[in-house]
Amino acid sequence: MKKSRFDAILSFLLGASWAYVILGSLILYKFFFFFGAIYALFISVSFVFISFFMMLVLEALSNTRDRHEEIKKQTKLLEEIRDQLK
């Protein structure tokens, strides 16, 4: 199945988001560990939740794109049926 550029970019961004979450939380934890383990854990978990929200936005874009493509196909089929009935 041929992917559009939008789908390829979106897939890349989702993959990069996972790397961003994993590396970012690890780096933040190590950076803030100086202030205390509990504080570092809180900052890391907060970062993960915010990052997951961003990933959810990317997934919503993907789902919206898929729904739009499906609606275009259905519209085309309905127009063909309408034309045949005339």
Side-chain angles (χ1 to χ4, degrees), residues 2 6-7 9-10 12-17 19 30 32 38 41 52-54 63 72 76 84 86:
K2 187 177 177 184
F6 179 80
D7 292 331
I9 291 171
L10 200 57
F12 172 76
L13 287 175
L14 282 171
S17 295
K30 287 188 176 203
F32 283 100
I38 300 296
L41 187 63
F52 280 160
F53 177 74
M54 288 184 216
N63 288 340
K72 282 174 46 177
K76 183 179 176 186
Q84 287 178 357
K86 282 186 177 181

PDB file of all heavy atoms in Angstrom, residues 2 6-7 9-10 12-17 19 30 32 38 41 52-54 63 72 76 84 86:
ATOM      1  N   LYS A   2       0.602   2.150  -0.892  1.00  0.00           N
ATOM      2  CA  LYS A   2       1.408   3.355  -1.036  1.00  0.00           C
ATOM      3  C   LYS A   2       1.014   4.373   0.026  1.00  0.00           C
ATOM      4  O   LYS A   2      -0.154   4.670   0.223  1.00  0.00           O
ATOM      5  CB  LYS A   2       1.195   3.933  -2.425  1.00  0.00           C
ATOM      6  CG  LYS A   2       2.110   5.089  -2.728  1.00  0.00           C
ATOM      7  CD  LYS A   2       1.916   5.571  -4.147  1.00  0.00           C
ATOM      8  CE  LYS A   2       2.804   6.769  -4.395  1.00  0.00           C
ATOM      9  NZ  LYS A   2       2.574   7.323  -5.718  1.00  0.00           N
ATOM     10  N   PHE A   6       2.349  12.767   3.882  1.00  0.00           N
ATOM     11  CA  PHE A   6       1.795  13.097   5.198  1.00  0.00           C
ATOM     12  C   PHE A   6       1.884  11.901   6.132  1.00  0.00           C
ATOM     13  O   PHE A   6       2.281  12.034   7.295  1.00  0.00           O
ATOM     14  CB  PHE A   6       0.344  13.559   5.052  1.00  0.00           C
ATOM     15  CG  PHE A   6      -0.310  13.906   6.355  1.00  0.00           C
ATOM     16  CD1 PHE A   6      -0.068  15.131   6.952  1.00  0.00           C
ATOM     17  CD2 PHE A   6      -1.160  13.015   6.971  1.00  0.00           C
ATOM     18  CE1 PHE A   6      -0.669  15.458   8.150  1.00  0.00           C
ATOM     19  CE2 PHE A   6      -1.759  13.330   8.175  1.00  0.00           C
ATOM     20  CZ  PHE A   6      -1.522  14.559   8.760  1.00  0.00           C
ATOM     21  N   ASP A   7       1.514  10.714   5.630  1.00  0.00           N
ATOM     22  CA  ASP A   7       1.578   9.509   6.448  1.00  0.00           C
ATOM     23  C   ASP A   7       3.012   9.162   6.822  1.00  0.00           C
ATOM     24  O   ASP A   7       3.284   8.734   7.944  1.00  0.00           O
ATOM     25  CB  ASP A   7       0.932   8.334   5.717  1.00  0.00           C
ATOM     26  CG  ASP A   7      -0.561   8.502   5.558  1.00  0.00           C
ATOM     27  OD1 ASP A   7      -1.184   9.169   6.415  1.00  0.00           O
ATOM     28  OD2 ASP A   7      -1.112   7.976   4.575  1.00  0.00           O
ATOM     29  N   ILE A   9       5.562  11.271   7.100  1.00  0.00           N
ATOM     30  CA  ILE A   9       6.031  12.259   8.075  1.00  0.00           C
ATOM     31  C   ILE A   9       5.414  11.981   9.443  1.00  0.00           C
ATOM     32  O   ILE A   9       6.095  12.042  10.470  1.00  0.00           O
ATOM     33  CB  ILE A   9       5.713  13.686   7.602  1.00  0.00           C
ATOM     34  CG1 ILE A   9       6.578  14.036   6.390  1.00  0.00           C
ATOM     35  CG2 ILE A   9       5.919  14.701   8.717  1.00  0.00           C
ATOM     36  CD1 ILE A   9       6.196  15.324   5.709  1.00  0.00           C
ATOM     37  N   LEU A  10       4.137  11.638   9.451  1.00  0.00           N
ATOM     38  CA  LEU A  10       3.458  11.354  10.709  1.00  0.00           C
ATOM     39  C   LEU A  10       4.045  10.123  11.383  1.00  0.00           C
ATOM     40  O   LEU A  10       4.250  10.114  12.601  1.00  0.00           O
ATOM     41  CB  LEU A  10       1.968  11.169  10.456  1.00  0.00           C
ATOM     42  CG  LEU A  10       1.042  11.329  11.628  1.00  0.00           C
ATOM     43  CD1 LEU A  10       1.213  12.699  12.268  1.00  0.00           C
ATOM     44  CD2 LEU A  10      -0.385  11.142  11.199  1.00  0.00           C
ATOM     45  N   PHE A  12       7.113   9.027  11.035  1.00  0.00           N
ATOM     46  CA  PHE A  12       8.422   9.427  11.533  1.00  0.00           C
ATOM     47  C   PHE A  12       8.292  10.209  12.831  1.00  0.00           C
ATOM     48  O   PHE A  12       9.035   9.980  13.797  1.00  0.00           O
ATOM     49  CB  PHE A  12       9.157  10.272  10.492  1.00  0.00           C
ATOM     50  CG  PHE A  12      10.434  10.871  11.007  1.00  0.00           C
ATOM     51  CD1 PHE A  12      11.564  10.093  11.157  1.00  0.00           C
ATOM     52  CD2 PHE A  12      10.484  12.206  11.358  1.00  0.00           C
ATOM     53  CE1 PHE A  12      12.735  10.639  11.652  1.00  0.00           C
ATOM     54  CE2 PHE A  12      11.646  12.766  11.853  1.00  0.00           C
ATOM     55  CZ  PHE A  12      12.776  11.976  12.000  1.00  0.00           C
ATOM     56  N   LEU A  13       7.344  11.141  12.879  1.00  0.00           N
ATOM     57  CA  LEU A  13       7.157  11.940  14.084  1.00  0.00           C
ATOM     58  C   LEU A  13       6.729  11.094  15.280  1.00  0.00           C
ATOM     59  O   LEU A  13       7.150  11.343  16.412  1.00  0.00           O
ATOM     60  CB  LEU A  13       6.140  13.051  13.834  1.00  0.00           C
ATOM     61  CG  LEU A  13       6.627  14.204  12.970  1.00  0.00           C
ATOM     62  CD1 LEU A  13       5.483  15.175  12.711  1.00  0.00           C
ATOM     63  CD2 LEU A  13       7.784  14.917  13.630  1.00  0.00           C
ATOM     64  N   LEU A  14       5.900  10.078  15.035  1.00  0.00           N
ATOM     65  CA  LEU A  14       5.502   9.199  16.132  1.00  0.00           C
ATOM     66  C   LEU A  14       6.689   8.401  16.655  1.00  0.00           C
ATOM     67  O   LEU A  14       6.852   8.231  17.867  1.00  0.00           O
ATOM     68  CB  LEU A  14       4.377   8.271  15.680  1.00  0.00           C
ATOM     69  CG  LEU A  14       3.002   8.902  15.619  1.00  0.00           C
ATOM     70  CD1 LEU A  14       2.006   7.970  14.949  1.00  0.00           C
ATOM     71  CD2 LEU A  14       2.530   9.259  17.009  1.00  0.00           C
ATOM     72  N   GLY A  15       7.523   7.910  15.758  1.00  0.00           N
ATOM     73  CA  GLY A  15       8.723   7.186  16.181  1.00  0.00           C
ATOM     74  C   GLY A  15       9.683   8.091  16.928  1.00  0.00           C
ATOM     75  O   GLY A  15      10.254   7.707  17.960  1.00  0.00           O
ATOM     76  N   ALA A  16       9.857   9.291  16.418  1.00  0.00           N
ATOM     77  CA  ALA A  16      10.744  10.246  17.087  1.00  0.00           C
ATOM     78  C   ALA A  16      10.175  10.649  18.441  1.00  0.00           C
ATOM     79  O   ALA A  16      10.942  10.905  19.385  1.00  0.00           O
ATOM     80  CB  ALA A  16      10.934  11.475  16.202  1.00  0.00           C
ATOM     81  N   SER A  17       8.862  10.683  18.566  1.00  0.00           N
ATOM     82  CA  SER A  17       8.241  11.033  19.842  1.00  0.00           C
ATOM     83  C   SER A  17       8.558   9.999  20.914  1.00  0.00           C
ATOM     84  O   SER A  17       8.801  10.344  22.072  1.00  0.00           O
ATOM     85  CB  SER A  17       6.726  11.146  19.680  1.00  0.00           C
ATOM     86  OG  SER A  17       6.402  12.197  18.830  1.00  0.00           O
ATOM     87  N   ALA A  19      11.239   8.124  21.045  1.00  0.00           N
ATOM     88  CA  ALA A  19      12.637   8.336  21.417  1.00  0.00           C
ATOM     89  C   ALA A  19      12.755   9.566  22.310  1.00  0.00           C
ATOM     90  O   ALA A  19      13.515   9.564  23.288  1.00  0.00           O
ATOM     91  CB  ALA A  19      13.499   8.491  20.167  1.00  0.00           C
ATOM     92  N   LYS A  30      18.207  12.234  35.441  1.00  0.00           N
ATOM     93  CA  LYS A  30      19.609  12.353  35.845  1.00  0.00           C
ATOM     94  C   LYS A  30      19.982  13.803  36.181  1.00  0.00           C
ATOM     95  O   LYS A  30      20.764  14.051  37.088  1.00  0.00           O
ATOM     96  CB  LYS A  30      20.520  11.815  34.748  1.00  0.00           C
ATOM     97  CG  LYS A  30      20.486  10.313  34.664  1.00  0.00           C
ATOM     98  CD  LYS A  30      21.519   9.794  33.712  1.00  0.00           C
ATOM     99  CE  LYS A  30      21.492   8.281  33.751  1.00  0.00           C
ATOM    100  NZ  LYS A  30      22.738   7.707  33.309  1.00  0.00           N
ATOM    101  N   PHE A  32      17.940  16.249  37.346  1.00  0.00           N
ATOM    102  CA  PHE A  32      17.297  16.717  38.563  1.00  0.00           C
ATOM    103  C   PHE A  32      17.550  15.816  39.773  1.00  0.00           C
ATOM    104  O   PHE A  32      17.078  16.104  40.869  1.00  0.00           O
ATOM    105  CB  PHE A  32      15.783  16.883  38.348  1.00  0.00           C
ATOM    106  CG  PHE A  32      15.430  18.109  37.587  1.00  0.00           C
ATOM    107  CD1 PHE A  32      15.134  18.043  36.234  1.00  0.00           C
ATOM    108  CD2 PHE A  32      15.406  19.342  38.207  1.00  0.00           C
ATOM    109  CE1 PHE A  32      14.816  19.179  35.520  1.00  0.00           C
ATOM    110  CE2 PHE A  32      15.088  20.492  37.508  1.00  0.00           C
ATOM    111  CZ  PHE A  32      14.789  20.412  36.156  1.00  0.00           C
ATOM    112  N   ILE A  38      12.959  12.053  44.685  1.00  0.00           N
ATOM    113  CA  ILE A  38      11.508  12.245  44.555  1.00  0.00           C
ATOM    114  C   ILE A  38      11.208  13.381  43.587  1.00  0.00           C
ATOM    115  O   ILE A  38      10.331  13.266  42.717  1.00  0.00           O
ATOM    116  CB  ILE A  38      10.868  12.513  45.941  1.00  0.00           C
ATOM    117  CG1 ILE A  38      11.109  11.355  46.898  1.00  0.00           C
ATOM    118  CG2 ILE A  38       9.387  12.804  45.798  1.00  0.00           C
ATOM    119  CD1 ILE A  38      10.472  10.056  46.471  1.00  0.00           C
ATOM    120  N   LEU A  41      11.980  12.252  40.064  1.00  0.00           N
ATOM    121  CA  LEU A  41      10.943  11.340  39.576  1.00  0.00           C
ATOM    122  C   LEU A  41       9.678  12.108  39.198  1.00  0.00           C
ATOM    123  O   LEU A  41       9.053  11.829  38.158  1.00  0.00           O
ATOM    124  CB  LEU A  41      10.633  10.292  40.648  1.00  0.00           C
ATOM    125  CG  LEU A  41       9.706   9.168  40.242  1.00  0.00           C
ATOM    126  CD1 LEU A  41      10.336   8.349  39.125  1.00  0.00           C
ATOM    127  CD2 LEU A  41       9.394   8.296  41.424  1.00  0.00           C
ATOM    128  N   PHE A  52       3.256  12.310  26.250  1.00  0.00           N
ATOM    129  CA  PHE A  52       2.195  11.414  25.789  1.00  0.00           C
ATOM    130  C   PHE A  52       1.007  12.200  25.245  1.00  0.00           C
ATOM    131  O   PHE A  52       0.355  11.772  24.292  1.00  0.00           O
ATOM    132  CB  PHE A  52       1.742  10.478  26.899  1.00  0.00           C
ATOM    133  CG  PHE A  52       2.649   9.302  27.115  1.00  0.00           C
ATOM    134  CD1 PHE A  52       2.620   8.617  28.303  1.00  0.00           C
ATOM    135  CD2 PHE A  52       3.528   8.876  26.140  1.00  0.00           C
ATOM    136  CE1 PHE A  52       3.451   7.528  28.522  1.00  0.00           C
ATOM    137  CE2 PHE A  52       4.363   7.794  26.327  1.00  0.00           C
ATOM    138  CZ  PHE A  52       4.318   7.113  27.532  1.00  0.00           C
ATOM    139  N   PHE A  53       0.729  13.353  25.832  1.00  0.00           N
ATOM    140  CA  PHE A  53      -0.344  14.195  25.312  1.00  0.00           C
ATOM    141  C   PHE A  53      -0.010  14.648  23.891  1.00  0.00           C
ATOM    142  O   PHE A  53      -0.869  14.640  23.011  1.00  0.00           O
ATOM    143  CB  PHE A  53      -0.569  15.399  26.222  1.00  0.00           C
ATOM    144  CG  PHE A  53      -1.607  16.338  25.702  1.00  0.00           C
ATOM    145  CD1 PHE A  53      -2.949  16.007  25.754  1.00  0.00           C
ATOM    146  CD2 PHE A  53      -1.240  17.541  25.125  1.00  0.00           C
ATOM    147  CE1 PHE A  53      -3.910  16.868  25.251  1.00  0.00           C
ATOM    148  CE2 PHE A  53      -2.187  18.399  24.623  1.00  0.00           C
ATOM    149  CZ  PHE A  53      -3.531  18.068  24.692  1.00  0.00           C
ATOM    150  N   MET A  54       1.255  15.021  23.666  1.00  0.00           N
ATOM    151  CA  MET A  54       1.663  15.418  22.319  1.00  0.00           C
ATOM    152  C   MET A  54       1.541  14.246  21.336  1.00  0.00           C
ATOM    153  O   MET A  54       1.138  14.433  20.186  1.00  0.00           O
ATOM    154  CB  MET A  54       3.093  15.940  22.341  1.00  0.00           C
ATOM    155  CG  MET A  54       3.249  17.271  22.993  1.00  0.00           C
ATOM    156  SD  MET A  54       4.944  17.819  22.853  1.00  0.00           S
ATOM    157  CE  MET A  54       5.150  18.646  24.387  1.00  0.00           C
ATOM    158  N   ASN A  63      -5.755   9.718  12.780  1.00  0.00           N
ATOM    159  CA  ASN A  63      -7.126   9.210  12.703  1.00  0.00           C
ATOM    160  C   ASN A  63      -8.020  10.131  11.885  1.00  0.00           C
ATOM    161  O   ASN A  63      -8.874   9.667  11.119  1.00  0.00           O
ATOM    162  CB  ASN A  63      -7.707   9.031  14.102  1.00  0.00           C
ATOM    163  CG  ASN A  63      -7.096   7.849  14.816  1.00  0.00           C
ATOM    164  OD1 ASN A  63      -6.538   6.955  14.190  1.00  0.00           O
ATOM    165  ND2 ASN A  63      -7.174   7.865  16.123  1.00  0.00           N
ATOM    166  N   LYS A  72     -14.034  10.528   1.728  1.00  0.00           N
ATOM    167  CA  LYS A  72     -13.884  10.843   0.306  1.00  0.00           C
ATOM    168  C   LYS A  72     -14.252   9.642  -0.561  1.00  0.00           C
ATOM    169  O   LYS A  72     -14.931   9.793  -1.592  1.00  0.00           O
ATOM    170  CB  LYS A  72     -12.447  11.279   0.016  1.00  0.00           C
ATOM    171  CG  LYS A  72     -12.156  12.714   0.421  1.00  0.00           C
ATOM    172  CD  LYS A  72     -10.725  13.142   0.284  1.00  0.00           C
ATOM    173  CE  LYS A  72     -10.019  12.786  -0.976  1.00  0.00           C
ATOM    174  NZ  LYS A  72      -8.632  13.311  -1.048  1.00  0.00           N
ATOM    175  N   LYS A  76     -17.464   9.441  -3.180  1.00  0.00           N
ATOM    176  CA  LYS A  76     -17.308   9.064  -4.581  1.00  0.00           C
ATOM    177  C   LYS A  76     -18.270   7.933  -4.950  1.00  0.00           C
ATOM    178  O   LYS A  76     -18.928   7.972  -5.998  1.00  0.00           O
ATOM    179  CB  LYS A  76     -15.867   8.651  -4.847  1.00  0.00           C
ATOM    180  CG  LYS A  76     -15.594   8.322  -6.287  1.00  0.00           C
ATOM    181  CD  LYS A  76     -14.145   7.945  -6.500  1.00  0.00           C
ATOM    182  CE  LYS A  76     -13.938   7.536  -7.946  1.00  0.00           C
ATOM    183  NZ  LYS A  76     -12.598   7.019  -8.191  1.00  0.00           N
ATOM    184  N   GLN A  84     -25.943   6.724 -11.497  1.00  0.00           N
ATOM    185  CA  GLN A  84     -26.545   5.563 -12.137  1.00  0.00           C
ATOM    186  C   GLN A  84     -28.055   5.568 -12.005  1.00  0.00           C
ATOM    187  O   GLN A  84     -28.775   5.090 -12.870  1.00  0.00           O
ATOM    188  CB  GLN A  84     -26.000   4.271 -11.512  1.00  0.00           C
ATOM    189  CG  GLN A  84     -24.590   3.966 -11.908  1.00  0.00           C
ATOM    190  CD  GLN A  84     -24.057   2.709 -11.235  1.00  0.00           C
ATOM    191  OE1 GLN A  84     -24.750   2.106 -10.425  1.00  0.00           O
ATOM    192  NE2 GLN A  84     -22.840   2.343 -11.587  1.00  0.00           N
ATOM    193  N   LYS A  86     -29.964   8.219 -12.063  1.00  0.00           N
ATOM    194  CA  LYS A  86     -30.569   9.296 -12.863  1.00  0.00           C
ATOM    195  C   LYS A  86     -30.910   8.829 -14.233  1.00  0.00           C
ATOM    196  O   LYS A  86     -30.501   8.028 -14.884  1.00  0.00           O
ATOM    197  CB  LYS A  86     -29.629  10.498 -12.950  1.00  0.00           C
ATOM    198  CG  LYS A  86     -29.663  11.307 -11.694  1.00  0.00           C
ATOM    199  CD  LYS A  86     -28.831  12.553 -11.884  1.00  0.00           C
ATOM    200  CE  LYS A  86     -28.902  13.413 -10.658  1.00  0.00           C
ATOM    201  NZ  LYS A  86     -28.138  14.628 -10.790  1.00  0.00           N
TER     202      LYS A  86
END
